[in-house]
Amino acid sequence: MPERGVSEGEEKVISLTWRSIIYDMNDRSDANIHHCFHVGRKVRIVIARRTLLAILTSALARLPAHSKSAAGVKIGAIRWDAWYTQSPKDGIRNFVQRTLSPEQWRDRAPSCTIVNELKEISFDECGVQSRIDSEIVKAHDAGIDYWAYCWFGADHPMQNAWRLHQSSTVNHLVNWCCILSFGQFVQYEDESLHEMTRQLRFHNYQSVLGGRPLLFIMQDKTGFDAVANGIRNLRLFCNNSGLRDPYVVLLVAASRRGILSETGADAIGAYERASPTPVAGDYEELAKIAESYWSALAGTGQAIVPTAMTGWDTRPRQETPVPWTPNPRSSSGEAHYFRSGTPEQIAAHVHNMLEWIRLNYSSCPAQTGLIYSWDEHDEGGSVLNSTLGAGDSILNAIGKVLK
């Protein structure tokens, strides 16, 4: 018979220790319960350790879907920072100014872009401290935990935004981590590894799983065997330097089993997932492709870090090719791309990723996900970064599901 004041079937966790949980409850039929006794209105139940894990997992599953912080999920956004290079003499900046100069693409440029009387654009006012300070605050306010920087080296022109991030008085508001290519990573020797371990110690370097530095490595034509050797060297170097073992995520082009056992990495994911790209596809199609890939990666039985897509529209590069990537225009001459989603559609997709991470802990033990992208303006199109056309509308919508 239930205690007075406790309704039939009611149960509520009152306190928790490693070996016991105190419940207000009526049903004490669990076969895993060793014994129970009343403590006032409470019933103390001493349970097997294996049952404790099941109970805790069930409790986590009841957390509100929108509560990112409650579930411990960390969300990062990918940065590719050609817009912030310091001088127009830097070749890559000249190329991206040309891709976004045509009137039909100009709205996609960062909001710091200057448009002159000849309708030419310039990024002269982008690579400054006040701009990056503003981005840090906006990202933080929207619930972005870290930026994943495409990494070219601390002194490289493409790392100017990162340097301004580190020199900012608010640099603690948003953490950061590196995305290296396979080819870059395998070339790292002692001097480069020493520099990497120094960066992994930064106070605002993103970590997961209780302090493991997070590192992304993106697949190119370099073989997995060379990457495996590089990961072994990195782990040894970190161990000898007194640094926690890095959590290494390989951003791969296709899902298959055995990548982690072959390389010694910790998880797999994707920099972007937009294939197959149709002729003028809808954003909903892009979101479904990305979400299907999360399941495909998890279906290999390996740990993953999922990526949500804000957009994929490479038409500026199709019309004005850049030298560092093949022209994405198809051989038929048709433009393959996805139409821009509304801020609300993009936010719903990010919400789906957040939910997926939270509900698939065994597949996502690091409890983190990526958003493509913060500022791939001429490749992705719709981005989190403020633009001349959309302003902060996408970031503001994302903030409603992340905060």
Side-chain angles (χ1 to χ4, degrees):
M1 178 176 181
E3 285 189 65
R4 184 175 300 171
V6 181
S7 60
E8 185 69 24
E10 177 186 356
E11 66 178 50
K12 180 181 179 183
V13 177
I14 301 299
S15 65
L16 169 69
T17 68
W18 175 243
R19 279 197 169 274
S20 65
I21 298 177
I22 299 177
Y23 274 88
D24 276 342
M25 67 177 294
N26 305 310
D27 183 4
R28 300 190 292 274
S29 61
D30 189 330
N32 288 309
I33 296 173
H34 292 175
H35 63 272
C36 62
F37 55 89
H38 289 274
V39 183
R41 288 182 63 251
K42 304 166 189 172
V43 178
R44 179 176 290 277
I45 302 171
V46 180
I47 63 176
R49 290 187 182 186
R50 63 182 178 273
T51 309
L52 178 58
L53 179 59
I55 292 172
L56 290 174
T57 302
S58 176
L60 284 173
R62 296 189 186 106
L63 290 171
H66 65 274
S67 180
K68 173 171 74 80
S69 58
V73 177
K74 301 297 182 184
I75 299 297
I78 293 170
R79 292 194 68 122
W80 184 82
D81 289 325
W83 340 98
Y84 303 93
T85 54
Q86 293 168 301
S87 167
K89 294 179 181 178
D90 298 322
I92 195 166
R93 176 172 155 179
N94 283 336
F95 283 108
V96 294
Q97 284 180 170
R98 289 200 289 270
T99 61
L100 293 180
S101 280
E103 185 176 1
Q104 66 267 38
W105 311 128
R106 203 174 299 147
D107 280 354
R108 292 168 54 159
S111 59
C112 51
T113 302
I114 302 168
V115 183
N116 65 22
E117 64 278 2
L118 299 177
K119 303 301 182 182
E120 297 169 336
I121 67 171
S122 167
F123 303 134
D124 285 348
E125 294 186 3
C126 293
V128 296
Q129 190 67 63
S130 59
R131 170 69 186 195
I132 299 302
D133 289 350
S134 174
E135 290 186 22
I136 292 171
V137 172
K138 288 179 180 180
H140 169 77
D141 289 348
I144 299 297
D145 296 291
Y146 64 93
W147 281 323
Y149 284 91
C150 292
W151 194 251
F152 299 87
D155 298 323
H156 194 281
M158 281 285 286
Q159 238 64 72
N160 187 45
W162 172 80
R163 290 190 291 272
L164 294 170
H165 183 175
Q166 302 316 306
S167 62
S168 174
T169 58
V170 291
N171 65 18
H172 61 286
L173 295 180
V174 176
N175 287 345
W176 70 282
C177 68
C178 294
I179 301 177
L180 293 163
S181 70
F182 277 21
Q184 285 174 287
F185 179 68
V186 301
Q187 293 175 15
Y188 275 24
E189 299 191 4
D190 284 359
E191 184 176 347
S192 298
L193 288 171
H194 177 76
E195 177 63 18
M196 174 172 282
T197 56
R198 186 185 73 83
Q199 290 157 359
L200 299 183
R201 295 179 188 276
F202 278 33
H203 73 93
N204 60 347
Y205 194 92
Q206 183 64 40
S207 63
V208 295
L209 296 174
R212 296 181 63 183
L214 178 62
L215 176 64
F216 294 97
I217 312 177
M218 184 167 59
Q219 187 177 6
D220 55 21
K221 295 180 180 180
T222 306
F224 283 113
D225 53 346
V227 173
N229 187 59
I231 291 174
R232 283 192 297 270
N233 289 341
L234 174 63
R235 296 198 191 284
L236 180 61
F237 209 92
C238 288
N239 181 65
N240 291 340
S241 302
L243 191 65
R244 288 289 304 274
D245 192 25
Y247 192 83
V248 179
V249 183
L250 302 184
L251 303 177
V252 296
S255 60
R256 70 170 177 84
R257 296 181 182 275
I259 293 175
L260 300 187
S261 59
E262 184 179 341
T263 61
D266 298 286
I268 54 177
Y271 185 85
E272 51 81 12
R273 188 63 180 183
S275 179
T277 306
V279 176
D282 290 327
Y283 176 78
E284 291 92 338
E285 295 178 65
L286 174 61
K288 288 178 182 177
I289 288 170
E291 291 173 19
S292 295
Y293 197 52
W294 308 338
S295 298
L297 290 173
T300 67
Q302 300 168 104
I304 82 160
V305 172
T307 298
M309 298 291 295
T310 58
W312 186 259
D313 182 357
T314 63
R315 284 180 294 168
R317 291 187 179 182
Q318 294 177 36
E319 294 180 5
T320 309
V322 294
W324 57 87
T325 188
N327 189 336
R329 185 177 290 276
S330 69
S331 57
S332 67
E334 294 178 300
H336 288 246
Y337 65 98
F338 292 93
R339 299 183 185 96
S340 297
T342 66
E344 293 72 25
Q345 287 174 319
I346 296 169
H349 174 46
V350 171
H351 176 266
N352 289 347
M353 181 178 72
L354 192 64
E355 273 284 271
W356 200 92
I357 294 169
R358 192 177 66 84
L359 296 175
N360 291 274
Y361 187 90
S362 60
S363 295
C364 302
Q367 289 291 280
T368 189
L370 284 175
I371 298 175
Y372 173 96
S373 67
W374 181 264
D375 62 348
E376 285 270 22
H377 292 271
D378 67 338
E379 181 181 75
S382 299
V383 295
L384 301 184
N385 197 16
S386 179
T387 65
L388 292 177
D392 294 312
S393 60
I394 297 175
L395 186 63
N396 290 340
I398 295 291
K400 293 177 182 178
V401 303
L402 292 185
K403 294 296 282 184

